[in-house]
């Protein structure tokens, strides 16, 4: 129910973290820094995207050969595969072959635009100005979302909504960081832990009241933003939980889990369809659900440790080597 709101958390959190790591570096635009920033962003998201795209292409091809009907086979074709290779799946006429991949196409567009946002952040010198801007962006974005979903009838993953969501939520996350960084000693403390709990309760209450309706579920966005902000400053038991080894590991593998879970559920849906067990004992259904979760987490962890992290490290190593070559002039150049 309203599981798509996980993407809202991802977009807001991404904006906050990108601003945390890079906002100061782009207070003055630099072409070299911008290029390196984009390469690092590609290193972060593209290897797993490419792997899952190859897997889903193999699944579609194998299913066609075996005469197995897949629900998404209508969008499978050379042009769409090529568009997905270029991460254009959030733009018409392309569609994401791996369901969750629509979001990373939009996310990368946010990375491209980030230096412009960073120039705005540099002008916000007080928490009040930054948080006021964040509230204004949130209110304006939600208003447009409500209008688009009710008037045009766009789904949360419709082309119009994709770009409204990423532009609103990523920018919102950067503005939250801009305010938080100016709080001084107030940036951390146990009060943030209580605020995190209240925010989470409000998110869950909004989801419950919405009854699973995707349009009304979006009204949880202000509380999601407050939850992200409060987790950044929490130092009590909420902060301790977030700093635990299990949560840290879960955070590291979360992107790989997100990108592979759709494929696992698609395979499970064919091998062990849920409706086949809906009349079985409750213990059977619980065990099946646990098997689903274990497979998703296991596949995501394997993808992280064998593909995502090694690829990222390799690309960063190549970048560091090239930067060293640019920095250290060869002896011949002095002759």
């Amino acid at each position: 129910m309203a599981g798509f709101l996980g993407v809202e958390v991802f977009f807001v959190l991404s904006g906050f973290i990108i601003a945390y790591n890079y906002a100061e570096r782009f207070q003055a635009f630099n072409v070299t820094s911008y290029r390196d920033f984009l390469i690092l962003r590609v290193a972060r998201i593209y290897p797993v995207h490419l792997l899952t795209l190859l897997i889903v292409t193999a699944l579609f091809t194998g299913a066609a050969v075996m005469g197995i009907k897949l629900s998404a086979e209508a969008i499978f074709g050379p042009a769409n595969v090529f568009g997905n290779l270029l991460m254009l799946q959030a733009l018409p006429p392309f569609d994401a072959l791996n369901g969750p991949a629509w979001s990373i196409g939009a996310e990368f567009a946010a990375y491209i635009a980030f230096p412009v946002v960073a120039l705005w952040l540099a002008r916000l010198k007080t928490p009040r100005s930054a948080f006021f801007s964040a509230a204004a962006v949130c209110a304006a974005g939600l208003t447009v979302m409500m209008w688009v979903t009710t008037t045009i009838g766009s789904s949360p993953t419709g082309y119009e909504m994709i770009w409204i969501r990423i532009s609103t939520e990523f920018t919102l996350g950067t503005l939250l960081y801009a305010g938080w960084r100016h709080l001084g000693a107030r940036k951390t403390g146990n009060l943030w832990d209580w605020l995190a709990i209240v925010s989470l309760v409000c998110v869950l209450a909004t989801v419950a009241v919405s009854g699973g309706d995707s349009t009304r579920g979006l009204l949880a966005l202000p509380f999601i933003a407050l939850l992200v902000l409060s987790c950044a400053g929490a130092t009590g038991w909420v902060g301790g939980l977030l700093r635990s080894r299990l949560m840290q590991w879960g955070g590291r593998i979360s992107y790989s889990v997100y990108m592979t879970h759709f494929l696992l559920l698609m395979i499970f849906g064919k091998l062990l369809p849920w409706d086949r067990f809906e009349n079985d004992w409750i213990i059977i259904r619980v065990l099946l659900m646990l098997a689903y979760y274990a497979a998703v987490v296991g596949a995501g962890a394997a993808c992280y440790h064998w593909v995502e992290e090694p690829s990222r490290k390799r690309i960063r190593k190549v970048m560091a080597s090239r930067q060293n070559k640019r920095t250290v002039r060869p002896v011949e150049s002095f002759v």
Side-chain angles (χ1 to χ4, degrees), residues 8 56 88 104 114 124 131 154 156 161 194 204 239 255 265 268 285 287 304:
E8 267 58 46
V56 77
L88 300 176
I104 64 168
F114 176 71
L124 301 173
F131 289 142
S154 178
M161 283 294 291
W194 289 106
L204 297 176
Y255 173 63
L265 294 180
F268 263 86
R285 285 178 284 160
L287 289 174
Y304 170 79

Side-chain angles (χ1 to χ4, degrees), residues 184-201:
R186 295 174 294 168
K187 285 200 302 186
T188 58
N190 291 340
L191 180 62
W192 291 107
D193 294 74
W194 289 106
L195 192 57
I197 297 169
V198 172
S199 303
L200 180 59
V201 170

Side-chain angles (χ1 to χ4, degrees), residues 255-268:
Y255 173 63
S256 285
V257 170
Y258 173 68
M259 289 295 288
T260 57
H261 83 279
F262 182 83
L263 304 180
L264 264 293
L265 294 180
M266 185 166 62
I267 293 171
F268 263 86

Side-chain angles (χ1 to χ4, degrees), residues 88-102:
L88 300 176
Q89 58 271 16
L91 292 170
F94 304 109
D95 291 288
L97 291 173
N98 176 26
W102 68 265

Side-chain angles (χ1 to χ4, degrees), residues 15-87:
F16 191 99
I17 292 175
I18 292 297
Y20 179 91
N21 286 304
Y22 294 101
E24 280 74 19
R25 305 186 195 186
F26 286 112
Q27 289 184 0
F29 184 79
N30 179 282
V31 173
T32 301
S33 297
Y34 183 47
R35 181 197 60 202
D36 291 346
F37 166 72
L38 290 181
I39 292 174
L40 289 174
R41 294 299 89 211
V42 169
R44 177 70 176 84
I45 66 177
Y46 195 78
V48 174
H49 169 59
L50 179 60
L51 173 67
T52 55
L53 180 59
L54 293 174
I55 292 174
V56 77
T57 300
L59 287 174
F60 277 117
T61 304
V65 171
M66 299 174 64
I68 300 174
K69 294 287 185 180
L70 296 178
S71 58
E73 66 181 10
I75 64 173
F76 182 71
N80 204 27
V81 172
F82 183 71
N84 277 252
L85 276 171
L86 298 180
M87 288 199 296

Side-chain angles (χ1 to χ4, degrees), residues 13-14 45 106 119 169 172 189-190 205 214 269 273 322:
L13 181 60
S14 177
I45 66 177
L119 294 176
E169 294 157 13
L172 175 57
N190 291 340
S214 59
R322 290 180 178 176

Side-chain angles (χ1 to χ4, degrees), residues 23-324:
E24 280 74 19
R25 305 186 195 186
F26 286 112
Q27 289 184 0
F29 184 79
N30 179 282
V31 173
T32 301
S33 297
Y34 183 47
R35 181 197 60 202
D36 291 346
F37 166 72
L38 290 181
I39 292 174
L40 289 174
R41 294 299 89 211
V42 169
R44 177 70 176 84
I45 66 177
Y46 195 78
V48 174
H49 169 59
L50 179 60
L51 173 67
T52 55
L53 180 59
L54 293 174
I55 292 174
V56 77
T57 300
L59 287 174
F60 277 117
T61 304
V65 171
M66 299 174 64
I68 300 174
K69 294 287 185 180
L70 296 178
S71 58
E73 66 181 10
I75 64 173
F76 182 71
N80 204 27
V81 172
F82 183 71
N84 277 252
L85 276 171
L86 298 180
M87 288 199 296
L88 300 176
Q89 58 271 16
L91 292 170
F94 304 109
D95 291 288
L97 291 173
N98 176 26
W102 68 265
S103 61
I104 64 168
E107 177 80 3
F108 194 75
Y111 298 153
I112 293 173
F114 176 71
V116 177
V117 179
L119 294 176
W120 180 17
L121 302 183
R123 299 174 64 88
L124 301 173
K125 303 298 185 182
T126 65
R128 177 178 298 179
S129 62
F131 289 142
F132 178 82
S133 297
V137 166
C138 185
L142 265 181
T143 300
V144 176
M145 288 182 205
M146 294 299 106
W147 182 83
V148 168
T149 52
T150 56
T151 305
I152 301 179
S154 178
S155 71
T157 55
Y159 293 121
E160 303 89 354
M161 283 294 291
I162 286 174
W163 295 104
I164 298 168
R165 289 168 74 186
I166 185 62
S167 59
T168 298
E169 294 157 13
F170 185 89
T171 304
L172 175 57
T174 65
L175 291 168
L176 290 176
Y177 166 73
W180 180 78
R181 71 178 175 178
H182 289 303
L183 287 175
R186 295 174 294 168
K187 285 200 302 186
T188 58
N190 291 340
L191 180 62
W192 291 107
D193 294 74
W194 289 106
L195 192 57
I197 297 169
V198 172
S199 303
L200 180 59
V201 170
C202 289
V203 170
L204 297 176
T206 305
V207 170
V209 171
S210 72
D213 180 80
S214 59
T215 299
R216 289 186 294 169
L218 287 168
L219 295 173
L221 178 58
F223 305 119
I224 290 173
L226 193 58
L227 178 62
V228 170
L229 177 65
S230 56
C231 285
T235 56
W237 70 271
V238 172
L241 177 64
L242 294 174
R243 290 190 297 271
S244 67
R245 294 180 64 181
L246 180 61
M247 291 294 288
Q248 293 285 317
W249 178 76
R252 287 194 295 272
I253 70 169
S254 60
Y255 173 63
S256 285
V257 170
Y258 173 68
M259 289 295 288
T260 57
H261 83 279
F262 182 83
L263 304 180
L264 264 293
L265 294 180
M266 185 166 62
I267 293 171
F268 263 86
K270 291 296 179 182
L271 299 179
L272 294 170
W274 182 260
D275 54 6
R276 184 187 300 174
F277 300 89
E278 41 183 31
N279 295 322
D280 284 338
W281 292 347
I282 184 66
I283 187 64
I284 299 295
R285 285 178 284 160
V286 169
L287 289 174
L288 180 62
M289 185 175 294
L290 291 175
Y292 271 49
Y293 281 117
V296 166
V297 173
C303 183
Y304 170 79
H305 290 291
W306 297 342
V307 177
E308 179 185 344
E309 187 64 0
S311 299
R312 186 184 66 85
K313 287 183 176 179
R314 176 61 181 168
I315 294 172
R316 292 181 71 95
K317 185 177 180 180
V318 171
M319 282 185 62
S321 176
R322 290 180 178 176
Q323 287 171 350
N324 289 336

